[in-house]
Amino acid sequence: MTNWPIGLSTGCFHRSHILDCLGTIRASGFHLLEICSLRSHLDYHQPPSLRATAARLEELGMEAHSFHAPFADRIDLASLDAHRRESSFEEIIRAAEAAAALKARWFVLHPGPEHAQIRHDETRLRHLESLAGVVQRIARRCAELGLHCVLENKLPHLLFGNTGDLRWILDALASSDVGVCLDTGHALLTGDFRDMVGKLAPHVRIIHAHDNRNHHDDHLAPGDGLVDWPWLFGTLRAAGFQGAFMLEMASAPDPATMMENARRGREFLQKAAGDSSA
């Protein structure tokens, strides 16, 4: 059986401050985390907040395995406007420095804008070229901070949400040691799950694990949707994947429900991974 670690993104608690949910997460048996950077959850601009979070993680015996960079309409690393692109870069670097302060290993980046207004014409290439230049600078700073930068495949209607964009940017960044965070739910919604995963598998360093029924980005527990997990495990195993699966669960008003879904998803992944290696 492949011993892939399974952790949890704190994003399911994005409506709460991180210090108010870490104990609940630890009590459910999770010690490996991806840190959500929504500022109402963790204000990474404030050193005291970072110090308090780092102290609480150490107290609970938890590890910030990865840190999700902020994403919003105002953050556009692919913008053709130099001022907007530079302000976006500065915000991402501030988040990377926060990730390093929490001793994270992986820095997960949404590499394009959070809207679908980029046309499929010659301007698309200009956006990709702008993006490549900025991500190269981010990757360089991440390396200085002891972080590894990985790019997440996004929803299919967005820039960087299809296999062609992903392959183009990875080729452009080949000298920067930038990998991929494979989001299983996003990949399923492309309608070409096997092609995307098969082509990206050699570059995958970390997994965002969640499921859906191929209609909406539901963030269901693995096994509750249509992701072909046994095939995915086999493909990752063949590619030599040695990273972690970070569960990205949907938020819910009741923390007990969220954690029950997370535990069930973890148990499903553990069993399915074991079965697929038999």
Side-chain angles (χ1 to χ4, degrees):
M1 175 179 174
T2 304
N3 188 26
W4 289 317
I6 301 173
L8 180 69
S9 167
T10 66
C12 56
F13 285 95
H14 67 88
R15 294 184 178 89
S16 304
H17 193 278
I18 190 169
L19 294 178
D20 295 331
C21 68
L22 289 177
T24 299
I25 295 172
R26 189 68 183 95
S28 296
F30 290 93
H31 76 278
L32 202 65
L33 298 178
E34 177 163 298
I35 304 298
C36 168
S37 62
L38 190 68
R39 287 181 64 184
S40 58
H41 179 69
L42 171 65
D43 191 348
Y44 57 87
H45 282 238
Q46 298 297 326
S49 180
L50 291 171
R51 288 194 294 269
T53 301
R56 184 61 171 153
L57 289 170
E58 183 175 2
E59 177 186 5
L60 293 170
M62 303 177 86
E63 175 187 341
H65 184 73
S66 50
F67 186 104
H68 201 309
F71 55 94
D73 284 343
R74 63 185 175 80
I75 298 176
D76 184 358
L77 299 172
S79 176
L80 301 183
D81 179 274
H83 177 74
R84 185 176 185 188
R85 193 169 62 245
E86 191 64 20
S87 66
S88 299
F89 167 77
E90 291 172 358
E91 186 70 15
I92 295 299
I93 292 302
R94 193 158 195 173
E97 291 168 349
L102 295 179
K103 301 180 181 179
R105 179 180 179 189
W106 300 98
F107 188 65
V108 180
L109 185 64
H110 277 195
E114 299 301 312
H115 57 76
Q117 298 172 3
I118 295 176
R119 299 188 301 274
H120 288 264
D121 58 17
E122 68 279 359
T123 63
R124 190 177 189 85
L125 178 58
R126 292 176 60 202
H127 282 283
L128 286 169
E129 289 171 340
S130 294
L131 175 62
V134 178
V135 173
Q136 194 164 43
R137 293 168 62 199
I138 292 170
R140 189 180 306 122
R141 180 59 178 146
C142 282
E144 292 171 353
L145 292 166
L147 295 165
H148 299 279
C149 183
V150 287
L151 306 180
E152 179 179 347
N153 58 299
K154 299 174 68 179
L155 288 167
H157 66 287
L158 301 173
L159 184 72
F160 211 76
N162 63 72
T163 307
D165 287 350
L166 287 161
R167 293 293 298 273
W168 190 97
I169 198 72
L170 288 170
D171 288 344
L173 295 168
S175 63
S176 300
D177 193 31
V178 173
V180 169
C181 170
L182 176 67
D183 187 295
T184 59
H186 295 174
L188 182 64
L189 289 169
T190 65
D192 203 4
F193 181 80
R194 290 196 175 197
D195 181 69
M196 172 173 275
V197 173
K199 289 178 177 176
L200 295 180
H203 304 279
V204 175
R205 304 291 179 261
I206 187 171
I207 305 287
H208 279 174
H210 56 102
D211 219 326
N212 62 65
R213 299 187 178 95
N214 211 8
H215 297 295
H216 305 287
D217 191 24
D218 300 309
H219 285 258
L220 303 176
D224 286 358
L226 300 177
V227 169
D228 188 344
W229 296 99
W231 179 87
L232 174 64
F233 295 144
T235 301
L236 292 173
R237 193 175 290 114
F241 175 70
Q242 297 180 357
F245 282 68
M246 305 306 294
L247 290 162
E248 276 198 332
M249 307 304 302
S251 182
D254 178 17
T257 299
M258 284 194 294
M259 297 317 302
E260 173 56 31
N261 289 338
R263 288 192 298 269
R264 183 162 46 81
R266 178 180 57 193
E267 291 167 4
F268 172 86
L269 291 176
Q270 291 169 335
K271 183 176 187 304
D275 291 346
S276 68
S277 65

